[in-house]
Amino acid sequence: MKISILAVSSLLVTLSNATPSPAGSYGIFKKDDSVYANPNDCDSDIESLIAGMTLEQKITQKLLPDIRNWNYGGCNNTAAPLQDMNDEVALSLAKYSFGGLTLFAENLYTTERSVRLIDNAQKANAINNKIPLLVCIDQEGGIVTRLGNGIMMPGNMAIGATSNTDYAYRTGLIVGKEVRAVGANLDFAPDSDVNVNPANPVIGVRSFGMKPELVSANVVRYLDGLRESNCIGCVKHFPGHGDTATDSHFGLPLVNKTLDRINSIELVPFKAAIAAGVDMIMTAHIQYPALDNSTIPSIIDGEPILKPATLSRAIMTDFLRGQLGFKGVTVTDAMNMDAIVKYVGQIDATAKAISAGVDLIIMPVLVRCVSNFTLYDQVIDAVKNEISEGRYSVAELESSVRRILTLKKKYNLLQLDNSPIEERIKYANATLSDPADKAIEKQIAEEAITVVKNDPTYGIPFNTDENSNVVVFMPDDTQTAAVRRKVGELKIKGNFNYMNFTRRALNGTAEELANKASHIILGSLVTTNTPAIDGGDIFINPGDIGTWAYSFPAAVVEKAKEKKISVAVVSLRNPYDVANFENAVGAVLCAYGYKGIILDVYAQPNLPAAISTIFGQSKPKGRLPVDIPSVFKNDTILYPFGFGLSL
Ligand SMILES: *[C@@H]1O[C@H](CO)[C@@H](O)[C@H](O)[C@H]1NC(C)=O
Ligand SMILES: *[C@@H]1O[C@H](CO)[C@@H](O)[C@H](O)[C@H]1NC(C)=O
Ligand SMILES: *[C@@H]1O[C@H](CO)[C@@H](O)[C@H](O)[C@H]1NC(C)=O
Ligand SMILES: *[C@@H]1O[C@H](CO)[C@@H](O)[C@H](O)[C@H]1NC(C)=O
Ligand SMILES: *[C@@H]1O[C@H](CO)[C@@H](O)[C@H](O)[C@H]1NC(C)=O
Ligand SMILES: *[C@@H]1O[C@H](CO)[C@@H](O)[C@H](O)[C@H]1NC(C)=O
Ligand SMILES: *[C@@H]1O[C@H](CO)[C@@H](O)[C@H](O)[C@H]1NC(C)=O
Ligand SMILES: *[C@@H]1O[C@H](CO)[C@@H](O)[C@H](O)[C@H]1NC(C)=O
């Protein structure tokens, strides 16, 4: 049975007058209630669906808002992670007929609640909208994952290091299956950027590597895996985020390269994906003057800035559709990123992206409470304004909606899953982090471990006994926890001491530990490797920059040399930091993933695989998927693409 629009508007009245019920309680939706539109009501004839939509619904079909945090019953800075549907969010879904939702880790900590949240979102949407939601998440595998109970996988650069594209296929297959199991249907993956810039602060290990052919081959296989799991894939970030030294979360990057160069590097994986029939392409908030040198005024000071790709008709329509022949759906990167917020403004940028020809908009505005709903109305008005001023047309809007509905139809998403929710939860419980998949995850992580340096006396494998003193220095406690667990699993002999090092100097307890050690395991973690300015960055938040230092790991390595003890340095993220340890005595290896154990749930397999290698329990086979420049000599490659030692 369907609830009419009238019922929703009276609900709106009720909500604004009533004392709100506490978060997590269900007013519209009791946990097992079903306010489903009859799934068989869904019309799979796209033209008649479009004919039945209002102008506003055509516009909102293009929006993918987030419901990441919600301040139920109020609106202040205490917005909390939204894990269960509440009346207010349900109301916004019922009221606006969105095309879909973008969900984040905050929404997806546990499997059962994720399934219910998504199910309830579909139900709320179905009150007024015949067309079910796209439910999208960034489950790339590696350092970017959203499903709390899901598998993390080693990530793209680790796959690149195995030189085995079958692992990209496996990753697509597994993450696609998990995304579908919770009721989501679209994965913003694989990352298809070619990481040619060692200073890239945001892509790094999310990329398969520095060679366009390597990236392309893996992208295509990853997409095969997703498709086989019936999950929509999306290559990103077009035209390429691999050669930037700025993160578009915090600034507006520029790729000032010639068209020839872009054609031979950045665009290669996107062309391969298009040839392989990719369904969706995500834009980058990046300036590409070779593709579009037109400007818009910045909201900071009115000065002209080059249009970022997301807002460029020349790039998103003329080039991507006209020249590259892409016929699928395009989507913006998140519109809450600084590249957009600081320079253009979210609502204006959403309108501009739409009139540039982009089909879907991720997080067009930041809505955290009922009083923010007016922001959606402003978005609708801004798009109408583009139409009335002739920058966009209803015909173009309908073509765009047609592409979105065609995609939904292709994946059978015009029908809601009407099977009992308990069955779906049971299936999801059994599917996420399946032991057979965990075994593949471990295998890939172990084969990816790349040893770039090893000394026969002070290197690996470590042979420890009951009298050995092993000191483990890691950037944070999530990693020490991961090492501790792995050492226990492998039943390694010796006394272990664990310490994190958010510090620069090797003094105090850290020095005492190092002085007593027979073996040291040292994690190194940087996003951009700038040892020359001692104090590269440890983490992606700008506030954290400078907390890490080159000097601590360097001092540890020096100490090991001086005391003639074994040392293994593990590069935990982008592998470029191995160049800092050119003169180390001992072993230096790359793991390509830094996430340890968080909340006892999240755990990446990379560091455990490195531990296994260090203690001789697995053989390293990895080969560098990028060149590693020397930090001591300019214009010198210390370890070239393809390099890796076998023990
Ligand atoms: C913020 O909103 C919540 C929910 O209504 C309320 O409990 C809390 O007191 C508010 N905090 C402030 C500082 O207003
Ligand atoms: C791009 O590079 C060209 C050639 O080096 C230079 O003339 C131009 O000013 C650069 N454009 C921008 C926006 O930096
Ligand atoms: C901008 O691009 C157009 C078309 O590619 C070109 O003709 C023009 O010279 C470019 N202008 C500048 C300032 O680079
Ligand atoms: C959302 O609403 C709150 C409370 O009315 C307001 O303080 C905040 O600025 C709004 N957010 C936006 C982005 O307009
Ligand atoms: C799913 O798993 C959770 C957590 O282990 C458990 O509490 C719940 O009962 C399971 N539900 C079903 C239907 O299997
Ligand atoms: C490092 O360890 C200390 C002591 O256990 C702990 O308080 C701190 O939160 C840890 N820091 C990190 C970044 O894990
Ligand atoms: C270690 O050295 C740093 C920098 O010289 C200093 O700030 C810190 O207090 C020292 N810590 C200990 C425990 O000696
Ligand atoms: C490398 O080049 C930079 C910039 O040109 C220069 O400042 C630095 O001294 C050079 N370093 C070495 C080791 O030659």
Side-chain angles (χ1 to χ4, degrees), residues 75 366 368-369 371-372 375:
C75 207
L366 212 62
R368 293 292 175 256
C369 60
S371 65
N372 291 153
L375 295 167

PDB file of all heavy atoms in Angstrom, residues 75 366 368-369 371-372 375, ligand 4:
ATOM      1  N   CYS A  75      19.593  21.032  15.628  1.00  0.00           N
ATOM      2  CA  CYS A  75      20.620  21.284  14.626  1.00  0.00           C
ATOM      3  C   CYS A  75      21.716  22.103  15.260  1.00  0.00           C
ATOM      4  O   CYS A  75      21.623  23.307  15.412  1.00  0.00           O
ATOM      5  CB  CYS A  75      20.061  22.001  13.404  1.00  0.00           C
ATOM      6  SG  CYS A  75      21.024  21.651  11.921  1.00  0.00           S
ATOM      7  N   LEU A 366      25.053  20.283   2.298  1.00  0.00           N
ATOM      8  CA  LEU A 366      25.273  19.615   3.574  1.00  0.00           C
ATOM      9  C   LEU A 366      24.014  19.748   4.420  1.00  0.00           C
ATOM     10  O   LEU A 366      23.759  20.799   4.989  1.00  0.00           O
ATOM     11  CB  LEU A 366      26.465  20.266   4.270  1.00  0.00           C
ATOM     12  CG  LEU A 366      27.294  19.348   5.137  1.00  0.00           C
ATOM     13  CD1 LEU A 366      27.921  18.229   4.319  1.00  0.00           C
ATOM     14  CD2 LEU A 366      28.379  20.146   5.835  1.00  0.00           C
ATOM     15  N   ARG A 368      21.958  18.428   7.632  1.00  0.00           N
ATOM     16  CA  ARG A 368      22.193  17.702   8.879  1.00  0.00           C
ATOM     17  C   ARG A 368      20.992  17.721   9.813  1.00  0.00           C
ATOM     18  O   ARG A 368      21.040  17.190  10.914  1.00  0.00           O
ATOM     19  CB  ARG A 368      23.404  18.316   9.610  1.00  0.00           C
ATOM     20  CG  ARG A 368      24.713  18.099   8.867  1.00  0.00           C
ATOM     21  CD  ARG A 368      25.101  16.627   8.881  1.00  0.00           C
ATOM     22  NE  ARG A 368      26.283  16.331   8.103  1.00  0.00           N
ATOM     23  CZ  ARG A 368      26.259  15.746   6.897  1.00  0.00           C
ATOM     24  NH1 ARG A 368      25.128  15.436   6.318  1.00  0.00           N
ATOM     25  NH2 ARG A 368      27.383  15.472   6.259  1.00  0.00           N
ATOM     26  N   CYS A 369      19.925  18.403   9.370  1.00  0.00           N
ATOM     27  CA  CYS A 369      18.732  18.493  10.214  1.00  0.00           C
ATOM     28  C   CYS A 369      17.588  19.013   9.361  1.00  0.00           C
ATOM     29  O   CYS A 369      17.808  19.470   8.233  1.00  0.00           O
ATOM     30  CB  CYS A 369      18.971  19.431  11.390  1.00  0.00           C
ATOM     31  SG  CYS A 369      19.379  21.099  10.876  1.00  0.00           S
ATOM     32  N   SER A 371      15.825  21.659   9.447  1.00  0.00           N
ATOM     33  CA  SER A 371      15.820  23.056   8.997  1.00  0.00           C
ATOM     34  C   SER A 371      16.749  23.278   7.799  1.00  0.00           C
ATOM     35  O   SER A 371      16.653  24.280   7.118  1.00  0.00           O
ATOM     36  CB  SER A 371      16.165  24.008  10.147  1.00  0.00           C
ATOM     37  OG  SER A 371      17.489  23.781  10.556  1.00  0.00           O
ATOM     38  N   ASN A 372      17.629  22.310   7.539  1.00  0.00           N
ATOM     39  CA  ASN A 372      18.498  22.419   6.361  1.00  0.00           C
ATOM     40  C   ASN A 372      17.809  21.975   5.061  1.00  0.00           C
ATOM     41  O   ASN A 372      18.383  22.114   3.991  1.00  0.00           O
ATOM     42  CB  ASN A 372      19.773  21.592   6.536  1.00  0.00           C
ATOM     43  CG  ASN A 372      20.734  22.118   7.595  1.00  0.00           C
ATOM     44  OD1 ASN A 372      21.487  21.348   8.153  1.00  0.00           O
ATOM     45  ND2 ASN A 372      20.724  23.414   7.865  1.00  0.00           N
ATOM     46  N   LEU A 375      17.825  23.855   1.818  1.00  0.00           N
ATOM     47  CA  LEU A 375      18.972  23.818   0.911  1.00  0.00           C
ATOM     48  C   LEU A 375      18.646  22.994  -0.341  1.00  0.00           C
ATOM     49  O   LEU A 375      19.084  23.320  -1.443  1.00  0.00           O
ATOM     50  CB  LEU A 375      20.202  23.237   1.617  1.00  0.00           C
ATOM     51  CG  LEU A 375      20.763  24.055   2.792  1.00  0.00           C
ATOM     52  CD1 LEU A 375      21.766  23.227   3.582  1.00  0.00           C
ATOM     53  CD2 LEU A 375      21.417  25.335   2.286  1.00  0.00           C
TER      54      LEU A 375
HETATM   55  C1  LIG B   4      21.650  23.907   8.897  1.00  0.00           C
HETATM   56  O1  LIG B   4      20.784  24.411   9.896  1.00  0.00           O
HETATM   57  C2  LIG B   4      21.442  24.931  11.031  1.00  0.00           C
HETATM   58  C3  LIG B   4      20.398  25.300  12.051  1.00  0.00           C
HETATM   59  O2  LIG B   4      19.338  25.973  11.485  1.00  0.00           O
HETATM   60  C4  LIG B   4      22.274  26.125  10.611  1.00  0.00           C
HETATM   61  O3  LIG B   4      22.984  26.629  11.725  1.00  0.00           O
HETATM   62  C5  LIG B   4      23.259  25.694   9.542  1.00  0.00           C
HETATM   63  O4  LIG B   4      23.962  26.804   9.071  1.00  0.00           O
HETATM   64  C6  LIG B   4      22.498  25.046   8.388  1.00  0.00           C
HETATM   65  N1  LIG B   4      23.482  24.553   7.434  1.00  0.00           N
HETATM   66  C7  LIG B   4      23.629  25.078   6.227  1.00  0.00           C
HETATM   67  C8  LIG B   4      24.688  24.493   5.366  1.00  0.00           C
HETATM   68  O5  LIG B   4      22.925  25.984   5.806  1.00  0.00           O
END
